Amino acid sequence: LLHSIHNSLIKDTNMHECNNICIITGTPQCGKTTFLQKIITFARTQNLNLGGFIAIGLWDGNQRAGFILEDLTTGNQVPLSGRSVESTEPGGYVFFKEGFAAGLTTLTPEALAGKDLIFIDEVGWLETRGDGWAQALPHLVNSAVRQIWVVRESMVPKVCATWNFKPGLIINATDNKAWNIFLEWLNAK
């Protein structure tokens, strides 16, 4: 793994190497999406053609209330999830069909044609059970386009095992060297 801060998370050496995939990781609410937003701002200053999406957190006081999905190509935003006491999902979220549909649309081969950098915020337990963005991920693992996946630290081994790949970089968003290591990965050929 290229300068992987957390290379011990991936132990299987028989996995397919995907040097074009960078995983941004950390614990819940540690700043993964904030770090991703810094990358997006930088990528736009470099005139990179961006694809995929970011999930922007919604807050109710000090509690996360849900997420809005933003398409990085069009800027369109749609509700992705919200908290509900009736939810049986981890975290107490309910997910909205229009949010999943919009996210999957951003990840189709047609939508990603000509993109320089693809963002998926985030890949986790939904995808490892076959839901969420799962149907889009096999073609992305086999794509040569640079990608950034947000994955909770506890989910990194399961996500990589599910799609049998070893990313080129796994970096914790809270590490003080994260930005420079990320730039080195982005600029590597």
Side-chain angles (χ1 to χ4, degrees):
L1 297 175
L2 173 69
H3 297 289
S4 179
I5 291 174
H6 294 282
N7 60 2
S8 63
L9 293 174
I10 308 299
K11 303 208 185 289
D12 187 343
T13 58
N14 295 320
M15 292 179 160
H16 172 70
E17 291 199 22
C18 293
N19 290 327
N20 60 311
I21 297 177
C22 168
I23 291 180
I24 304 295
T25 194
T27 57
Q29 299 182 14
C30 76
K32 297 180 298 291
T33 298
T34 300
F35 188 75
L36 202 62
Q37 289 171 317
K38 181 177 179 178
I39 293 170
I40 290 165
T41 299
F42 174 78
R44 286 184 171 145
T45 68
Q46 302 301 301
N47 295 316
L48 296 176
N49 193 359
L50 308 183
F53 58 87
I54 188 170
I56 301 166
L58 301 172
W59 294 89
D60 182 7
N62 291 330
Q63 183 175 16
R64 177 90 67 184
F67 292 89
I68 297 288
L69 183 139
E70 181 178 320
D71 180 325
L72 293 174
T73 300
T74 65
N76 292 341
Q77 295 184 344
V78 296
L80 176 60
S81 66
R83 281 202 189 267
S84 172
V85 294
E86 297 163 8
S87 173
T88 59
E89 300 293 352
Y93 290 101
V94 293
F95 293 89
F96 307 123
K97 290 179 185 176
E98 61 270 20
F100 279 137
L104 286 170
T105 297
T106 72
L107 298 177
T108 62
E110 297 79 20
L112 296 175
K115 301 299 183 206
D116 300 312
L117 194 55
I118 300 166
F119 295 81
I120 307 172
D121 182 16
E122 73 182 60
V123 178
W125 56 270
L126 277 173
E127 289 72 25
T128 60
R129 74 176 195 198
D131 296 325
W133 328 117
Q135 71 187 43
L137 298 180
H139 82 83
L140 288 171
V141 168
N142 293 308
S143 169
V145 178
R146 292 205 178 262
Q147 302 166 46
I148 300 169
W149 296 20
V150 174
V151 181
R152 288 184 182 183
E153 193 168 49
S154 63
M155 290 299 301
V156 170
K158 178 120 175 122
V159 165
C160 292
T162 300
W163 287 278
N164 193 37
F165 79 100
K166 193 181 328 179
L169 179 63
I170 301 171
I171 192 165
N172 190 300
T174 63
D175 189 286
N176 62 1
K177 299 175 188 168
W179 182 248
N180 289 333
I181 293 170
F182 170 77
L183 289 178
E184 186 177 331
W185 171 82
L186 185 63
N187 292 319
K189 298 296 177 205

